[in-house]
């Protein structure tokens, strides 16, 4: 184990050689340089608004990017922050001494309430320019407003709650008429709902908030200087527009639940934090005399929405008697306190001041701080200046606080995109778990850190926590990159060694059986993990050695199967005489090479199952490669076992239709050895066409001869067309078999007669059976009695041949009569032909003077011509010109020769007088007469009509233009 650890350390040092050292970084080996190259932007970034008010600022409110501020006594300035260059100024139109006391802007930025110190209240809608007085509100100094975020719209506030300085809570509704700017009374109603009291009597209602929970339940939060009240109740469905009177009615006889603190600022203020994309606040902060009450809002609670409450006391430099806080604003992780000359930000996680911003005296005293809940911007103003704070990456350091509070899950959540911080959190969590003896959890965390591997490994080894060490190695292995092959190899090998050691310890302890099974399952999961597959495969020899050194054959087989090293698995089963298991592995993985390798061993012990497996493999196996296994097996096996070899060979031949000669020859040898009855049927089924026979005929003949299978030999002789040998061998077995062989050479009568004579001689001389010899005469028409007689001995009487001789004489007589009849028919046929010829010579046709040649279309009678029975007429030279190109070469040559001879006979004689029969006179000894030459020319030229005869039919596929003259013809057309 130590050597493996050393090797892994070396590999880590090599891979980390380019990383900064621990001393250079200044933190434990984290792999990250925790340095900032530029100054980080503060969380709360202040910006002074470029605005100089013409009069002092009395009050300022912001919501939904709509800003409203009261200037001086009678001016109201409205600014859409999306269009800051288009401010809107509205005059209040007050002639008395009344001043703006407070302003309230709803969540949509549409409804503005202006409370005056004269106990009057004004209303201004965003869509209008004229301020309207709310007559029903007169006589009440308004301290707070609870807006209805669920039913309010741009023209109607819906039921809202109004808190006064006298402690009364009123329910009201303001609506803008669609027909005109305002209805007669914009305030629809104004009725008292409840009165808040402290121990001394009614107290001003400092804050009001309306929230809706689950199942239609509403929560109303109201604060005085020292108390925080909660009103909880359901508004009946469909009556939401009627207001919240039903909720307050539930508390008419008893006080609602409240929190009370002894100290008193003279006022209190509550702030809420609403995350983006949510409609309900998630947390609250109540600024009162004893500090800030901070908590979360849980809408599932039945009687109180407040949860996880804690009081953060004010920082030590805040004395509520001298410089008490003025306003409070809540963000996700901080609340900001406004003091007369500064702003302090306190973390809600630990109560520590994380930010302080001191304002210069020239700006004047700070008056109020508010937050726009929709854009999360914070606004602060004095009588002269307006400031705005942008909140940027507020959660950047939250992870540290959660880490110091040992809330590691939350810490990791807030630094998951900052790996250098996440590494610190994981290291702290790992150390915390280790100190608390939660070693497995510690290992999981350490594996995710960048701390030195060897330090952590030795830490677990010294603590004798092998299980935690294994967990650490497994997690570390899963985090390695594919390129870190050396580290992967070392970790994999080390883990294998640890698993085998642990399994060896547990296996010998019966009380740890369940743990052993669980560990074994983990080890198998580790071996079969796809991520480890390549590493295990490349180092399988080392893993096999480790398994062998521990004597763990079970996992050696399991690992071999995972590595698809089925050869090792099958060999293992065979060595342990587990032949069925070996065959199961072969059948399951269907590897042809393994079948070829292990079949010689398996067939010796389980022949039937092996053959079944071969058959199930079908054509995937090459039977030729299995023949050696079958040959070795058949030499030492019994007939019953040889039948298994025959069964597989028959499957190859008849089912797979194998044509390999070796397979057919081996099947023949098995048939000849054990199944002679099947031998002949196989040969007959193979057929008699040598080109379609797949076995070796000479080998088959020699094999059958050696085993004395004469019928099979006869069949093979027949296939080889060695009929004489077939008949000779068949006569030793059966005469009928010889007869069937003698009739096979159908095209060779002489050979057939010779074969039948062999049979007859055998019957006469060997069997001495005259009747059977006579039967041979009737079986073969080629044999005559005179052919057989020489085979009989001299002492045989004629009585045995009387019938045969008589039959032979009758056959001769019939043949003579038949020849006579044929001669007479031939004489009559010749006579008719002569008559037809004579008749044809006497035939004639009439030609009209106007008839024209069918070829040249000139008058026919101008030159020698031919008249055909079909009616076509041609000049001699036109017909010759049409026929000559289509004649065969030899006829063309003959025709030219005849024309030359005809020309020679037509030369003029020196004598002026010719004999009368000059055309019929012979031209000399051996020469033809002129008439004969003409007749020969006619036979060639006028054998048939050039248009109606075969000559025209044969010319269909001939081109119109001779291919050799095509180019010349084409050029002539250009």
């Amino acid at each position: 184990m130590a050597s493996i650890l050393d090797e892994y350390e070396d590999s880590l040092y090599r891979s980390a050689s380019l990383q900064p050292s621990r001393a250079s970084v200044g933190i434990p080996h984290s792999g990250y340089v925790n340095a900032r190259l530029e100054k980080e932007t503060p969380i709360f970034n202040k910006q002074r608004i470029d605005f100089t008010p013409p009069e002092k600022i009395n009050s300022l409110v912001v919501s939904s990017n709509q800003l409203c501020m009261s200037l001086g006594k009678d001016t109201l300035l409205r600014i859409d922050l999306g269009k800051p260059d288009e401010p809107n100024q509205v005059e209040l139109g007050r002639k008395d001494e009344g001043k703006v006391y407070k302003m309230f802007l709803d969540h949509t930025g549409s409804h503005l309430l202006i409370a005056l110190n004269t106990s009057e209240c004004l209303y201004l809608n965003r869509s209008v320019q004229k301020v309207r007085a709310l007559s029903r509100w007169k006589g009440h100094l308004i301290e707070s407003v609870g807006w209805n975020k669920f039913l309010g719209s741009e023209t109607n506030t819906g039921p809202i709650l109004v808190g006064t300085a006298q402690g009364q809570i009123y329910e009201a509704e303001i609506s803008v008429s669609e027909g005109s700017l305002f209805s007669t009374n914009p305030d629809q109603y104004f009725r008292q709902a409840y009165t808040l009291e402290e121990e001394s009597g009614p107290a001003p209602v400092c804050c009001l908030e309306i929230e809706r929970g689950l199942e239609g339940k509403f929560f109303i939060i109201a604060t005085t200087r020292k108390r925080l009240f909660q009103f909880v109740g359901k508004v009946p469905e469909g009556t939401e527009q009627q207001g919240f009177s039903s909720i307050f009615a539930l508390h008419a006889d008893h006080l609602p639940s409240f929190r009370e603190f002894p100290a008193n600022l003279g006022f209190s203020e509550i702030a809420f934090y609403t995350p983006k994309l949510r409609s309900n606040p998630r947390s609250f902060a109540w600024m009162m005399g004893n500090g800030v009450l901070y908590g979360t809002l849980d809408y599932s609670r039945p009687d109180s929405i407040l949860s996880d409450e804690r009081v953060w006391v004010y920082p030590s430099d805040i004395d509520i008697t001298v410089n008490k806080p003025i306003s409070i604003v809540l963000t996700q992780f901080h609340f900001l306190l406004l003091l007369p000359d500064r702003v302090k930000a306190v973390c809600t996680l630990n109560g520590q001041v994380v930010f302080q911003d001191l304002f210069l005296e020239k700006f004047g005293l700070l008056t109020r701080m508010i937050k726009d809940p929709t854009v999360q911007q914070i606004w602060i103003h004095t009588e002269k200046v307006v400031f705005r704070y942008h909140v940027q990456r507020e959660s950047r350091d939250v992870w540290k606080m959660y880490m110091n509070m040992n809330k590691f899950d939350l810490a990791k959540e807030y630094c998951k995109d900052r790996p250098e911080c996440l590494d610190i959190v994981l290291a702290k969590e790992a150390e915390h778990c280790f100190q608390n003896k939660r070693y497995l959890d510690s290992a999981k965390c350490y594996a995710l850190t960048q701390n030195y591997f060897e330090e952590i490994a030795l830490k677990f080894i010294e603590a004798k926590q092998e299980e935690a060490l294994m967990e650490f190695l497994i997690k570390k292995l899963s985090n390695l990159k594919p390129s870190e092959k050396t580290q992967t190899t070392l970790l994999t090998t080390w883990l294998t060694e640890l698993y085998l050691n642990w399994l060896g310890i547990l296996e010998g302890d019966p009380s740890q059986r369940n743990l052993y099974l669980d560990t074994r399952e983990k080890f198998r999961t580790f071996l079969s993990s796809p991520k480890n597959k390549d590493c295990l495969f490349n180092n399988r020899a080392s893993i096999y050695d480790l398994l062998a050194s521990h004597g763990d054959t079970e996992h050696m087989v399991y690992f071999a199967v995972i590595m698809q090293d089925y050869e090792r698995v099958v060999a293992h089963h065979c060595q342990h005489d587990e032949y069925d298991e070996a065959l199961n592995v072969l059948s399951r993985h269907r590897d042809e090479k393994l079948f070829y390798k292990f079949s010689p061993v398996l067939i010796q012990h389980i022949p039937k199952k092996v053959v079944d497996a071969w058959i199930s493999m079908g054509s995937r196996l090459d039977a030729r490669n299995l023949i050696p296994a079958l040959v070795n097996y058949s030499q030492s096996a019994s007939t019953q076992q040889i039948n298994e070899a025959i069964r597989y060979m028959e499957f190859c031949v008849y089912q797979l239709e194998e044509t390999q000669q070796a397979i057919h020859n081996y099947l023949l040898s098995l048939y000849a050895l054990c199944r002679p009855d099947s031998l002949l049927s196989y040969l007959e089924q193979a057929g008699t066409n040598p080109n379609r026979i797949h076995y070796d005929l000479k080998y088959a003949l020699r094999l059958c001869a050696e085993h004395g299978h004469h019928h099979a030999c006869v069949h093979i002789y027949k296939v080889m067309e060695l009929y004489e040998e077939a008949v000779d061998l068949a006569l030793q077995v059966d005469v009928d078999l010889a007869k069937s062989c003698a009739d096979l050479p159908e095209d060779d009568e002489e050979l057939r007669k010779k074969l039948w004579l062999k049979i007859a001689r055998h019957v006469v001389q060997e069997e001495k059976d005259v009747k059977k010899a006579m039967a041979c005469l009737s079986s073969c028409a080629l044999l005559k009695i005179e052919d057989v007689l020489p085979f009989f001995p001299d002492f045989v009487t004629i009585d045995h041949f009387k019938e045969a001789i008589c039959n032979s004489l009758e056959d001769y007589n019939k043949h003579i009569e038949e020849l006579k009849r044929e001669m007479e028919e031939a004489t009559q046929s010749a006579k008719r032909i002569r008559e037809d010829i004579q008749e044809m010579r006497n035939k004639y046709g009439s030609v009209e003077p106007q008839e024209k040649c069918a070829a040249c279309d000139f008058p026919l009678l101008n030159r020698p011509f031919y008249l055909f029975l079909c009616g076509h007429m041609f000049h001699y030279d036109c017909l010759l010109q049409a026929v000559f190109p289509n004649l065969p070469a030899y006829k063309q040559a003959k025709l030219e020769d005849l024309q030359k001879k005809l020309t020679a006979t037509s030369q003029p004689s020196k004598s002026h007088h010719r004999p009368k029969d000059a055309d019929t006179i012979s031209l000399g000894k051996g020469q033809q007469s002129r008439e004969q030459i003409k007749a020969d020319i006619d036979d060639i030229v006028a054998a048939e009509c050039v248009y109606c005869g075969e000559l025209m039919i044969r010319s269909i596929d001939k081109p119109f233009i001779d291919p050799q003259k095509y180019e010349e013809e084409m050029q002539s057309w250009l």
Side-chain angles (χ1 to χ4, degrees):
M1 185 184 300
S3 62
I4 294 176
L5 179 59
D6 294 339
E7 291 179 12
Y8 187 77
E9 290 175 13
D10 295 340
S11 67
L12 283 179
Y13 288 138
R14 288 193 297 271
S15 65
S17 60
L18 298 180
Q19 296 181 356
S21 67
R22 199 165 18 169
S24 64
V25 180
I27 61 173
H29 176 62
S30 61
Y32 306 104
V33 178
N34 191 14
R36 295 187 176 93
L37 299 180
E38 59 184 24
K39 187 176 180 181
E40 192 171 26
T41 305
I43 296 175
F44 303 100
N45 187 23
K46 183 174 69 175
Q47 175 190 7
R48 180 181 175 181
I49 303 301
D50 186 13
F51 171 71
T52 303
E55 299 179 77
K56 70 176 183 178
I57 302 172
N58 299 320
S59 180
L60 184 147
V61 289
V62 181
S63 183
S64 293
N65 239 14
Q66 301 295 318
L67 183 146
C68 300
M69 67 173 68
S70 171
L71 302 176
K73 176 184 176 182
D74 198 48
T75 303
L76 186 68
L77 186 65
R78 296 188 296 182
I79 301 175
D80 184 350
L81 297 177
K83 304 174 182 178
D85 297 333
E86 301 177 9
N88 176 248
Q89 184 172 321
V90 179
E91 300 296 330
L92 299 182
R94 303 292 296 182
K95 303 301 182 183
D96 54 16
E97 295 299 322
K99 296 181 181 179
V100 174
Y101 176 63
K102 285 185 178 181
M103 293 196 305
F104 309 94
L105 187 62
D106 79 317
H107 61 287
T108 65
S110 302
H111 305 283
L112 176 66
L113 291 174
I114 307 165
L116 305 178
N117 60 358
T118 58
S119 298
E120 294 179 87
C121 191
L122 306 178
Y123 171 75
L124 179 64
N125 190 276
R126 183 169 64 180
S127 61
V128 299
Q129 286 287 108
K130 187 175 181 181
V131 178
R132 297 291 297 181
L134 301 178
S135 59
R136 292 187 175 91
W137 296 40
K138 191 172 183 180
H140 300 283
L141 183 61
I142 307 302
E143 288 283 350
S144 58
V145 175
W147 295 104
N148 193 326
K149 295 177 286 187
F150 315 105
L151 296 178
S153 65
E154 293 185 358
T155 59
N156 189 288
T157 62
I160 61 175
L161 296 177
V162 180
T164 68
Q166 295 77 30
Q168 292 93 9
I169 298 177
Y170 285 88
E171 194 172 21
E173 182 176 0
I174 301 174
S175 177
V176 178
S177 174
E178 296 180 359
S180 60
L181 291 178
F182 291 99
S183 62
T184 305
N185 293 310
D187 48 337
Q188 301 298 308
Y189 58 84
F190 189 78
R191 53 178 177 256
Q192 185 174 349
Y194 199 81
T195 301
L196 297 183
E197 296 183 355
E198 293 180 352
E199 69 275 3
S200 60
V205 183
C206 299
C207 299
L208 280 172
E209 182 75 14
I210 304 171
E211 296 298 338
R212 183 167 61 184
L214 305 176
E215 300 177 354
K217 185 181 292 186
F218 282 84
F219 297 89
I220 299 173
I221 298 176
T223 67
T224 62
R225 293 166 296 188
K226 298 167 59 177
R227 291 183 178 180
L228 186 151
F229 294 88
Q230 291 186 79
F231 299 88
V232 182
K234 288 186 178 181
V235 176
E237 188 175 355
T239 63
E240 292 89 351
Q241 202 68 38
Q242 298 178 11
F244 307 100
S245 300
S246 59
I247 298 177
F248 290 106
L250 297 174
H251 304 280
D253 299 330
H254 60 278
L255 287 175
S257 62
F258 63 88
R259 304 283 190 277
E260 183 175 13
F261 295 89
N264 184 359
L265 291 174
F267 65 94
S268 71
E269 186 173 344
I270 192 168
F272 296 89
Y273 168 70
T274 304
K276 291 183 179 180
L277 306 178
R278 288 188 58 180
S279 59
N280 292 331
R282 192 178 70 181
S283 57
F284 74 97
W286 180 37
M287 183 183 70
M288 41 76 183
N290 292 83
V292 176
L293 176 66
Y294 174 79
T296 59
L297 301 179
D298 186 354
Y299 296 91
S300 63
R301 299 181 65 181
D303 55 350
S304 175
I305 194 175
L306 308 181
S307 177
D308 299 332
E309 302 168 50
R310 69 180 69 179
V311 176
W312 295 115
V313 297
Y314 294 120
S316 58
D317 60 342
I318 295 180
D319 184 357
I320 63 173
T321 62
V322 180
N323 57 342
K324 57 185 177 184
I326 302 169
S327 293
I328 186 170
V329 163
L330 181 63
T331 62
Q332 185 177 4
F333 296 105
H334 303 84
F335 59 82
L336 280 71
L337 296 174
L338 180 69
L339 300 170
D341 61 345
R342 70 193 65 191
V343 173
K344 287 181 179 287
V346 179
C347 179
T348 58
L349 299 177
N350 56 15
Q352 300 296 316
V353 177
V354 298
F355 171 78
Q356 179 171 281
D357 192 4
L358 186 65
F359 288 76
L360 300 177
E361 291 183 5
K362 68 177 182 178
F363 297 137
L365 296 178
L366 302 178
T367 305
R368 183 166 175 76
M369 176 174 63
I370 55 175
K371 185 180 75 170
D372 187 344
T374 58
V375 295
Q376 304 295 324
Q377 291 180 348
I378 300 170
W379 295 79
I380 297 176
H381 72 91
T382 68
E383 291 182 350
K384 303 176 182 179
V385 186
V386 178
F387 298 93
R388 177 172 58 189
Y389 280 97
H390 293 274
V391 183
Q392 297 180 341
R393 295 178 57 234
E394 184 182 4
S395 61
R396 67 183 71 172
D397 294 324
V398 169
W399 64 273
K400 288 183 183 178
M401 302 171 192
Y402 280 129
M403 180 183 69
N404 295 330
M405 297 163 62
N406 293 334
K407 294 183 177 180
F408 300 108
D409 290 339
L410 290 172
K412 288 183 283 189
E413 180 68 24
Y414 285 101
C415 63
K416 57 186 178 183
D417 56 341
R418 299 171 65 185
E420 72 280 3
C421 302
L422 181 61
D423 188 69
I424 298 173
V425 174
L426 289 169
K428 181 70 178 292
E429 182 182 8
E431 185 63 29
H432 176 78
C433 293
F434 192 91
Q435 296 297 332
N436 289 276
K437 300 187 183 303
R438 292 162 48 200
Y439 298 110
L440 287 177
D441 294 335
S442 176
K444 293 176 183 177
C445 293
Y446 270 130
L448 299 175
T449 67
Q450 297 296 320
N451 289 17
Y452 283 123
F453 169 83
E454 67 279 5
E455 292 180 359
I456 302 169
L458 289 173
K459 196 170 187 176
F460 286 116
I461 293 173
E462 291 172 358
K464 297 181 180 180
Q465 295 295 325
E466 286 197 6
E467 188 176 2
L469 176 61
M470 290 167 60
E471 184 67 27
F472 169 69
L473 296 179
I474 290 171
K475 293 295 183 182
K476 202 70 179 177
L477 178 63
S478 65
N479 294 330
L480 289 178
K481 300 176 182 178
S483 59
E484 297 173 319
K485 295 182 179 180
T486 304
Q487 293 91 329
T488 301
T489 301
L490 291 171
L491 280 181
T492 302
T493 309
W494 192 4
L495 275 169
T496 304
E497 175 74 15
L498 289 174
Y499 267 120
L500 291 173
N501 287 337
W502 189 237
L503 287 172
I505 295 171
L506 295 176
E507 189 175 14
D509 189 352
S511 62
Q512 300 290 332
R513 179 65 179 171
N514 292 334
L515 181 58
Y516 167 76
L517 295 176
D518 183 56
T519 306
R520 184 182 68 175
E521 187 62 29
K522 289 181 180 179
F523 181 44
R524 292 185 174 183
T525 303
F526 166 75
L527 291 177
S528 59
S529 172
K531 187 172 184 179
N532 303 332
K533 183 177 181 181
D534 291 340
C535 177
L536 290 170
F537 182 79
N538 294 332
N539 299 278
R540 58 188 182 277
S542 300
I543 303 299
Y544 281 132
D545 291 341
L546 281 175
L547 292 167
S549 66
H550 285 266
D552 195 342
T553 56
E554 178 185 1
H555 284 105
M556 181 180 291
V557 173
Y558 182 83
F559 180 69
V561 171
I562 293 174
M563 293 293 103
Q564 297 184 356
D565 190 358
Y566 303 118
E567 181 176 352
R568 185 184 294 269
V569 177
V570 176
H572 170 79
H573 288 309
C574 290
Q575 290 171 2
H576 293 79
D577 296 337
E578 299 170 353
Y579 303 109
D580 288 333
E581 290 295 328
L583 184 60
N584 288 337
V585 174
L586 291 177
S587 301
R588 188 162 54 250
H589 300 288
R590 305 173 74 83
D591 189 331
E592 300 88 349
K593 295 181 180 179
L594 294 183
F595 267 103
Y596 301 147
K597 182 172 183 178
F598 291 101
S599 287
V601 177
L602 295 176
I603 200 169
Q604 299 290 338
H605 300 88
I606 47 174
K608 184 178 185 308
K609 293 182 179 180
V610 171
V611 171
D612 289 340
W614 290 350
I615 291 175
S616 67
M617 288 288 289
S619 59
R620 294 184 61 177
L621 289 179
D622 187 348
R624 293 177 300 174
N625 296 329
L626 297 173
I627 289 177
L630 292 172
V631 171
N632 294 334
Y633 169 66
S634 61
Q635 289 177 352
S636 59
S638 64
T639 303
Q640 183 178 1
Q641 293 171 322
I642 292 177
N643 288 336
E644 294 299 328
I646 294 176
R647 181 161 70 95
Y648 181 66
M649 289 292 105
E650 288 179 339
F651 169 76
C652 295
V653 170
Y654 299 122
Q655 300 296 325
L656 301 182
E657 299 181 353
E658 285 284 355
T659 59
Q660 297 295 331
Q661 191 177 76
I663 297 173
H664 287 264
N665 287 346
Y666 183 59
L667 180 59
L668 266 174
S669 67
L670 293 176
Y671 279 150
L673 181 63
C674 296
R675 287 192 190 174
D677 296 338
S678 301
L679 176 61
L680 187 59
S681 62
Y682 165 78
L683 295 173
E684 291 175 349
Q685 188 173 354
T688 58
N689 187 347
N691 296 325
R692 295 184 179 181
I693 289 176
H694 304 301
Y695 57 85
D696 187 339
L697 289 170
K698 295 180 180 179
Y699 171 76
L701 182 62
R702 183 173 66 253
L703 189 67
C704 294
E706 288 177 357
H707 292 84
H709 302 311
H710 298 304
H711 278 81
C713 291
V714 171
H715 178 82
I716 296 171
Y717 278 133
K718 291 193 292 184
V719 175
M720 297 174 72
E721 298 183 355
L722 300 175
Y723 301 116
E724 292 190 43
E725 290 82 352
V727 170
D728 291 339
L729 184 58
L731 289 174
Q732 300 177 21
V733 181
D734 184 10
V735 175
D736 292 334
L737 179 61
K739 291 180 179 179
S740 64
C741 297
D743 285 330
L744 291 176
E746 297 177 353
D747 300 331
D748 192 345
E749 291 187 355
E750 182 179 353
L751 178 58
R752 258 202 305 156
K753 184 175 181 180
K754 181 179 180 181
L755 297 177
W756 276 104
L757 287 174
K758 282 179 176 285
I759 296 171
R761 178 182 294 171
H762 174 80
V763 171
V764 173
Q765 296 180 354
E766 300 296 333
E767 298 186 4
K768 296 181 172 44
D769 190 339
V770 178
K771 291 183 178 180
K772 190 178 288 187
M774 294 301 100
C776 290
L777 294 176
S778 61
S779 299
C780 180
L782 299 177
L783 290 182
K784 305 299 180 182
I785 185 63
E786 58 271 23
D787 298 325
V788 181
L789 285 177
F791 301 146
F792 288 96
D794 297 338
F795 57 83
V796 179
T797 60
I798 197 171
D799 294 340
H800 294 90
F801 313 110
K802 180 178 180 181
E803 183 178 355
I805 293 173
C806 292
N807 292 334
S808 178
L809 292 174
E810 290 178 359
D811 290 339
Y812 282 128
N813 287 334
K814 290 179 181 179
H815 186 59
I816 291 170
E817 292 297 329
E818 185 177 349
L819 289 175
K820 287 181 178 180
R821 186 170 61 254
E822 289 177 357
M823 291 173 63
E824 291 178 357
E825 290 176 357
T827 303
Q828 293 295 327
S829 177
K831 181 180 179 181
R832 286 194 298 271
I833 290 172
R834 284 194 296 272
E835 292 175 352
D836 290 341
I837 291 173
Q838 188 63 35
E839 183 179 354
M840 289 296 295
R841 287 176 177 174
N842 296 330
K843 277 192 174 183
Y844 64 92
S846 60
V847 178
E848 299 294 332
Q850 66 272 14
E851 292 290 346
K852 296 182 180 181
C853 174
C856 65
D857 205 30
F858 281 96
L860 186 68
L861 299 178
N862 291 345
R863 298 198 300 274
F865 64 89
Y866 288 98
L867 172 63
F868 293 93
L869 294 177
C870 60
H872 288 116
M873 293 169 278
F874 301 91
H875 290 128
Y876 167 76
D877 54 343
C878 293
L879 182 62
L880 180 63
Q881 185 178 1
V883 171
F884 185 83
N886 296 298
L887 291 175
Y890 75 94
K891 284 193 176 183
Q892 290 180 353
K894 184 177 180 181
L895 183 58
E896 290 176 350
D897 183 56
L898 290 173
Q899 286 179 324
K900 290 178 181 179
K901 291 180 179 180
L902 183 62
T903 303
T905 60
S906 59
Q907 292 294 331
S909 175
K910 294 181 179 181
S911 174
H912 295 283
H913 302 284
R914 294 179 61 194
K916 183 177 180 180
D917 298 325
D919 289 342
T920 61
I921 296 176
S922 174
L923 298 178
K925 187 176 181 180
Q927 294 183 347
Q928 292 175 316
S929 65
R930 182 179 177 83
E931 288 298 327
Q932 184 64 41
I933 294 172
K934 285 184 176 181
D936 292 342
I937 292 175
D938 289 345
D939 290 341
I940 295 174
V941 176
E944 57 183 0
C945 175
V946 71
Y947 286 170
C948 302
E950 293 182 4
L951 187 64
M952 181 60 66
I953 296 173
R954 289 195 301 269
S955 67
I956 288 176
D957 58 348
K958 291 184 179 180
F960 291 107
I961 301 174
D962 188 349
Q964 297 179 354
K965 300 181 179 180
Y966 179 78
E967 291 294 334
E968 181 183 350
E969 184 69 22
M970 186 173 67
Q971 291 296 328
S972 67
W973 282 81
L974 296 178

